[in-house]
Amino acid sequence: MFKLRCAKKEEYDFLYNLLDSTIKKYYVETFGSWD
C-alpha cells in the first residue's frame, strides 16, 4: 500500500531529472519538443 503526498521543494530537482531521464524521449517523439 502507498500514500500520495505533495512533493517537497527539495525534491523537485530529483523528480525533474527522473522525468527527464525516463519520459523525455517519448514526450519529444509524441509532441515534438520538451519545454
Side-chain angles (χ1 to χ4, degrees):
M1 186 168 191
F2 61 91
K3 182 178 177 182
L4 296 178
R5 65 170 174 79
C6 293
K8 296 176 184 177
K9 190 171 188 167
E10 59 269 14
E11 298 169 324
Y12 287 170
D13 287 338
F14 167 77
L15 294 171
Y16 179 82
N17 289 329
L18 180 64
L19 282 173
D20 186 56
S21 66
T22 58
I23 298 204
K24 182 178 180 178
K25 174 184 173 185
Y26 305 106
Y27 190 94
V28 170
E29 287 176 3
T30 303
F31 299 107
S33 67
W34 177 259
D35 294 332

